Amino acid sequence: MKIIIAGAGEVGFHLAKLLSFESQDITLIDTNRDNLQYADTHLDIRTIKGDATSIRILKESNVKYCDMLIGVTSSEATNITTCVLAKQLGASRTIARISNTEFLAQREEIGFTQFGIDELISPEALAAREISLLLNQSAFNDSYEFEEGALTMIGLSLSRSAEFVGKTVKEAARIFPQLNFVPIAIQRFGTQYTLIPRGDTQFKEGDQVYFITLKSGVEELYKLTGKKKQDIKNVMILGGSKIGTKTARDLCQNGFNVKLVETNKEKAYDLADELPKTLIIYGDGRNVELLEEENIHDMDAFIAVTGNSETNIMSCLVAKSKSVKKTISLVENMDYYQLSHSIGIDTLINKKLLAANTIFRYIRKGEVVAMTKLNNMNAELLEFIVKPGCQVARKKIKNIDFPRSAIIGGIIREGEGVIALGEFLIQPGDRIVVCCLPRSIKKVEKLFL
């Protein structure tokens, strides 16, 4: 695909990096020469210095031949304008990064597609949604829902008390025949190696394991993994950023008791007016005395979403030392992100990765309706719609030539999730959730074309 990315900031560079690894034809536009020079020397892409809202620059980037233009500059207005112009100049598809979440709520009423914007992406809204989901699945360190929970992906670290530690997948299936979940990926403790489990794969203590489960399977996983479902009611948020504000608003609407700590006095007063159901505390959240005064030991969850990764990590570690059950930290540095399972914090989230995951689904071939990358693992989770003429339609799962480095996690049929085994007959219209390693993505995509 020929893809133009407007904006060589953190999100734009990360996207360009991921896409260049897949040999996509990438053009990166930015006004900052230093950003472009770094991208030019580190990635196999074309760079153009200039304003993405310039018609001359867009024409220079051959916008009329591009399959997709992605506007991810730090300016919402620039992204929207670039997408509108690109569509008029012949771009097949446009995606705009926005920060005003009102646009997402009113997208149908406003009709952004009529302007030439096919999709709107808000990293802040994605991060807030991820936090809410993690609080609902409190014992797990990663979570993602397909079709409003018809199937759910959850990730957890296996403790010694998990009932299937030491058993193979096949043995576990025999002992627990009624289970409503399936393992889709495993990362061995202390390694960066991702494996797709087969019948003879053994579960080991310390494994980071991802499962696809039905709603009824979540409770079973709590029991079998030795995890306890913790009721999260009292939440403290550090940082009145856009993510902090959106998270506080969403959590208050869902009945949580929320305290938000903000270090800027003027901003704290503004937040008090904007969030009447949230207790706003003016002060430095890195101050342990302040946290103790605000009864951090009574908090069920601590969420650090300031603009500084180090502050977020250290504050979460302090919260963990005060026996807070769940800690979530926003990090911008991808090197920190790789440490999430050893750093002592329950979950690290990254806006760049969340935005890239959402955008990636439009780049995958076949009818991909949802996609996520597994945290710290070299694997993707894709949801395909089965077309009548594709290779998997009207076939039993056992008869499909599926690569060994990929696995079907579950199927959604008419809104209902199914954990499907070899005898299951796939029908057109089914939505199939597949977990695969990078080397098998192209082969999996061909099955659904």
Side-chain angles (χ1 to χ4, degrees), residues 1-3 16 18-27 44-45 67 360 363-365 442 445:
M1 287 177 79
K2 178 170 175 50
I3 300 167
L18 293 176
L19 293 170
S20 67
F21 288 163
E22 300 196 354
S23 302
Q24 306 282 3
D25 182 0
I26 309 298
T27 300
D44 182 20
I45 62 173
D67 299 298
F360 249 73
I363 291 153
R364 292 278 167 250
K365 293 172 185 165
K442 283 193 170 74
E445 286 175 339

Side-chain angles (χ1 to χ4, degrees), residues 6 9 22 34 96 107 175 204-205 242 248 281 309 320 359 364 366 372 413:
E22 300 196 354
D34 292 339
R107 72 167 80 192
I175 298 167
K204 296 181 179 179
E205 182 185 350
K242 287 175 181 173
I281 299 156
S309 298
K320 206 67 181 171
I359 291 168
R364 292 278 167 250
T372 186
R413 179 174 287 174

Side-chain angles (χ1 to χ4, degrees), residues 313 329 331 336-337 339-340 343 345-350 375:
I313 289 170
S329 173
V331 294
Y336 292 159
Y337 192 73
L339 300 171
S340 64
I343 208 169
I345 297 169
D346 294 309
T347 309
L348 300 181
I349 58 173
N350 181 281
N375 280 359

Side-chain angles (χ1 to χ4, degrees), residues 144-147 150-153 182 184 211-213 369-372 380-386 402 406-412 418 430-436 444 448:
Y144 187 88
E145 286 188 347
F146 294 90
E147 306 304 313
L151 290 175
T152 301
M153 179 276 290
V182 63
I184 55 167
F211 295 91
I212 291 288
T213 177
V369 289
M371 184 231 151
T372 186
E380 287 185 15
L381 205 54
L382 299 154
E383 180 187 353
F384 293 94
I385 294 179
V386 178
F402 226 68
I407 187 171
I408 292 177
I411 293 171
I412 300 168
V418 181
D430 285 350
R431 292 170 177 249
I432 299 186
V433 176
V434 178
C435 181
C436 49
V444 169
F448 292 92

